[in-house]
Amino acid sequence: MRIPSKFAILCAAISQLVTAHHGAGGGHAHAHDEELWKSKYGEQVDLPFTGPLSFSHLPYAKCLDDPSSLFDIAILGLPFDTTVTYRPGARFGPFGIRSGSRRQRPDIGHTFGWGMNPYKQNGVKIIDCGDVPISPFDNTLAIDQISVAYSTLLSRPLPPVTSAVHSSSSVTASLSQHKIPHPRIVSLGGDHTIVLPILRSLNKIYGPISVIHFDAHLDTWPPVKERYPAMSMTEQSQVNHGTFFWKASQEGLIKQDASIHAGIRCKLAGPDDLVHDSSVGFELITTDDIEDLGIPEIIKRIRRRVGSNPVYLSLDIDVIDPGLAPATGTPEAGGWTTREVKRILRGLGGLNFVGFDLVEVSPVYDTNAETTSLIAADIVHDFLSMMLQPRDEKVAAGTIHYSPGFGEGATTRDEL
């Protein structure tokens, strides 16, 4: 057997010492590298095209699971589309709208039109509460799930740090039947039938409310057996995205003669449709009225119609021309432009809003550039800004008031 030389033994010992030193040194280097990113580049921020998908990169919570999730305003997805009469796909609307909001973010939410950032208003807390898990198989169950979810979130107390100036507190407490403040919700549809269970939930707190309805269609039709023979077979089959306002009126959810449509241009069975629509409680502004009346007059008529009532605003994306926003279930040619709709919305700030929705976005019909989703997300940003405008004291007092810049003798600014 060969005995190692002293030199070989010495070399082996040196090698072990070097290895041990490198191992120890490497451990110190690894510990240092753990914080190298933060020390060199700072926080791991989400870029417009990275991060979890929440609306405008807002904090995300499954609010229905967590009673400690408090908010002034919640974004809530309602992925429901099983009462449509033509093209389905709006169950993917909440995803599409959130995707369209990726370039928006709380730290750069200031806009020219509103002159403010809705995410930085005196401690107001806005979060994304995720989507309600809604049955795609049973409409009766689905509508109840929407109502229960909405009522659950509507009953949450406001965060303790909320400022009284721009918060839900100053508006909702004075409007609610029990004078208790409530949070407000912006719903992402979903087909338009989601408004029926929402109005049922709101009615428990505010009683009958005024509705501002942006749409190409009336949505006040009674069930018509000749068009859809199966509609009269069951009570639930009478409710779809063209009849839900009729149903809401039957249940006393809509304040009579204090609601209004804007942007209507659908085909009708005849003049009787308009007579019936008026009986449901709506005044009518057509698409063509924008040329004949102009935007300032449209704003005046909307504000005058709803007055100081609690107001719910519902916007069907098909109010916008399908050349600009094609991703919807029942497109109608000749709609308003995005800019026109946004300008009208800016004239409605300061009303007594208790909730909003944007519905009927069906991303499968969108362009490769996601134009409909981008438009929808931008309008939701407008909704947030509308809610956080200083409350119009003339509206609060019940007197008729026109939007700033549109009163008699006022200097108007051409924003078209």
Side-chain angles (χ1 to χ4, degrees), residues 6 59 69 100 124 172 200 214 236 278 280 309 338 348-349 354 364 397:
K6 292 182 179 180
S69 294
V124 171
T172 61
R200 287 171 175 167
F214 286 82
Q236 183 56 49
S278 179
V280 172
N309 299 321
T338 308
L348 302 180
V354 296
V364 68

Side-chain angles (χ1 to χ4, degrees), residues 131-294:
D131 294 339
V132 178
I134 300 169
S135 171
F137 311 116
D138 184 331
N139 288 343
T140 300
L141 173 60
I143 288 176
D144 184 66
Q145 289 172 324
I146 295 170
S147 182
V148 170
Y150 203 94
S151 294
T152 298
L153 298 184
L154 208 57
S155 66
R156 293 276 167 88
L158 298 181
V161 296
T162 297
S163 164
V165 178
H166 286 295
S167 72
S168 295
S169 166
S170 60
V171 176
T172 61
S174 63
L175 297 174
S176 69
Q177 298 179 104
H178 305 292
K179 305 305 177 185
I180 298 173
H182 294 271
R184 292 181 283 185
I185 300 171
V186 178
S187 302
L188 311 180
D191 80 49
H192 219 150
T193 303
I194 67 168
V195 175
L196 177 59
I198 289 173
L199 291 178
R200 287 171 175 167
S201 295
L202 290 169
N203 183 261
K204 298 174 185 176
I205 294 172
Y206 302 106
I209 63 176
S210 293
V211 175
I212 300 174
H213 176 222
F214 286 82
D215 203 320
H217 310 92
L218 297 173
D219 294 349
T220 57
W221 288 283
V224 182
K225 187 174 181 180
E226 289 74 18
R227 294 182 186 175
Y228 293 91
M231 286 178 62
S232 299
M233 292 175 60
T234 66
E235 182 178 353
Q236 183 56 49
S237 67
Q238 296 179 8
V239 178
N240 62 54
H241 70 164
T243 66
F244 65 92
F245 275 137
W246 162 80
K247 182 66 172 175
S249 176
Q250 294 286 304
E251 296 180 10
L253 308 179
I254 300 174
K255 201 170 186 65
Q256 283 298 306
D257 300 321
S259 295
I260 189 165
H261 303 295
I264 302 296
R265 62 185 184 280
C266 60
K267 296 176 177 63
L268 307 172
D272 287 347
D273 283 356
L274 298 178
V275 174
H276 174 77
D277 182 72
S278 179
S279 73
V280 172
F282 282 85
E283 186 179 327
L284 182 66
I285 295 173
T286 71
T287 301
D288 291 340
D289 285 336
I290 205 161
E291 279 85 25
D292 300 332
L293 300 177

Side-chain angles (χ1 to χ4, degrees), residues 44-54 57-58 98 102 105:
Q44 183 182 347
V45 298
D46 291 333
L47 302 176
F49 46 86
T50 68
L53 188 60
S54 68
H57 298 274
L58 285 169
R98 288 188 178 100
R102 286 174 296 181
R105 55 197 309 157

Side-chain angles (χ1 to χ4, degrees), residues 55-68:
F55 184 82
S56 295
H57 298 274
L58 285 169
Y60 178 92
K62 290 188 175 181
C63 300
L64 294 173
D65 284 345
D66 184 5
S68 68

Side-chain angles (χ1 to χ4, degrees), residues 67-95:
S68 68
S69 294
L70 304 181
F71 49 84
D72 294 286
I73 300 172
I75 304 293
L76 182 66
L78 298 174
F80 171 77
D81 67 357
T82 50
T83 59
V84 298
T85 56
Y86 192 46
R87 302 194 303 201
R91 69 181 64 182
F92 297 102
F95 171 85

Side-chain angles (χ1 to χ4, degrees), residues 21-34:
H21 174 74
H22 283 172
H28 290 302
H30 178 68
H32 173 71
D33 289 346
E34 284 180 354

